[in-house]
Amino acid sequence: MGVVTTFRLRRQTSRSSRFAEVTVEVSPSSTPEVEVTTTAGANAEHRREADLGARWALRHNSPAVKVKVTVTSVVTTEIDTGTGDVYEATTHAVWQALGVEHSASYVGFSDPLMVTSWLNDIAGRQLDAVTEARYWYEGRREPDAASLLHAWLHFERAEPIGLHGRGDEFLLDREDPYLSYEMGDDGETRVGPAFPPDVLSGFVGAMLTDGAVITGSDGELTCTGLVLRFDVGDLVIGTLGDEWVLAAGPVPAAVAPCWTVHPFIRDAAR
């Protein structure tokens, strides 16, 4: 018999609500393993999120452990459970069973199906604001993509969605922006609203009408970026070789051979 634990994700703000309750059993194993056995109350999408969330928890646990994670229960609500909630609750349930707190600073997802689901949830909403984290040194910063560390998109009636780049992997997470901080002689990270002429600032106030997932050289395993179609034009944001790619308009020619742009969600729904 392994360790059985339940984690409940419950958060409510003036903009949105989140809920998911996940129970896992973690037991010794010769190799890391994940199994989702729950059927009651969990649809295929929730089961997929539970599987991916458990795998994220094991990958981002230090020191690495060889255990089997069995997801035995997933509880959701039709109104309050959104994309990423079961994923995040499962991750924290596994860490809780392992006695780990905040093994990673954020719980991000890059699975193309999950990202597509988020696009479907958010399409038709206005982008109210963009928050950026940028690297500054001696009172100066590099232009746009070169100084960008992280960004958060604030859509109406929704929690902020954080954008993280790691190598060629583009990750989304549902967390608030962090605070600015200094790094002594190594400079500082400033967190605040996006301002012109930076690319992201040009889409504040615009309506998201469509979107498409971008994958990279590993096929369709992970998302490497997005094309967000607003009523004022397209925004391309992604990561390649641990560098941000930002563009207003089509995918830049320099990165096009490395990326595959999947069908826009409105086209796929027809």
Side-chain angles (χ1 to χ4, degrees):
M1 181 70 176
V3 177
V4 178
T5 187
T6 298
F7 183 88
R8 176 179 291 180
L9 173 69
R10 182 165 55 187
R11 187 180 307 162
Q12 185 167 359
T13 69
S14 59
R15 300 173 66 91
S16 63
S17 298
R18 301 183 66 189
F19 176 82
E21 182 182 283
V22 176
T23 300
V24 301
E25 178 181 347
V26 177
S27 54
S29 175
S30 58
T31 58
E33 186 179 352
V34 174
E35 182 181 9
V36 180
T37 61
T38 180
T39 55
N43 59 30
E45 188 171 328
H46 293 151
R47 289 168 59 85
R48 181 179 179 82
E49 284 198 23
D51 179 85
L52 293 168
R55 295 182 189 280
W56 168 277
L58 294 180
R59 285 200 309 271
H60 293 82
N61 181 66
S62 181
V65 292
K66 294 181 179 179
V67 296
K68 178 179 179 179
V69 176
T70 304
V71 181
T72 59
S73 174
V74 174
V75 180
T76 63
T77 71
E78 185 176 349
I79 296 176
D80 295 330
T81 303
T83 302
D85 290 345
V86 171
Y87 178 90
E88 185 169 336
T90 306
T91 299
H92 284 289
V94 174
W95 285 341
Q96 188 170 278
L98 294 173
V100 175
E101 290 189 12
H102 304 295
S103 182
S105 58
Y106 60 90
V107 179
F109 58 90
S110 62
D111 174 70
L113 291 180
M114 285 185 63
V115 176
T116 299
S117 181
W118 172 78
L119 282 172
N120 278 298
D121 290 344
I122 215 72
R125 302 192 191 195
Q126 178 176 292
L127 181 62
D128 288 338
V130 175
T131 302
E132 298 177 330
R134 292 188 175 274
Y135 174 69
W136 287 70
Y137 184 73
E138 294 184 344
R140 296 188 297 273
R141 45 151 278 200
E142 295 294 324
D144 213 356
S147 63
L148 184 67
L149 301 175
H150 303 109
W152 294 263
L153 307 180
H154 304 261
F155 285 95
E156 61 177 337
R157 306 187 314 279
E159 285 196 324
I161 191 78
L163 309 179
H164 303 265
R166 188 181 60 188
D168 292 341
E169 186 176 16
F170 181 81
L171 294 132
L172 283 69
D173 80 273
R174 298 177 68 182
E175 294 290 341
D176 292 329
Y178 50 76
L179 299 176
S180 302
Y181 59 92
E182 296 185 1
M183 298 177 286
D185 294 338
D186 294 324
E188 61 181 314
T189 294
R190 297 184 186 179
V191 181
F195 290 109
D198 295 329
V199 169
L200 293 177
S201 68
F203 294 87
V204 175
M207 184 75 68
L208 182 68
T209 60
D210 208 344
V213 170
I214 302 171
T215 56
S217 58
D218 64 347
E220 299 185 6
L221 297 179
T222 59
C223 175
T224 194
L226 290 171
V227 181
L228 298 177
R229 178 156 291 168
F230 291 90
D231 55 4
V232 296
D234 286 359
L235 166 64
V236 177
I237 181 167
T239 180
L240 183 64
D242 217 25
E243 299 288 341
W244 283 110
V245 177
L246 295 171
V251 172
V255 300
C258 305
W259 284 356
T260 299
V261 179
H262 291 251
F264 281 82
I265 57 172
R266 296 304 188 222
D267 294 336
R270 291 173 184 168

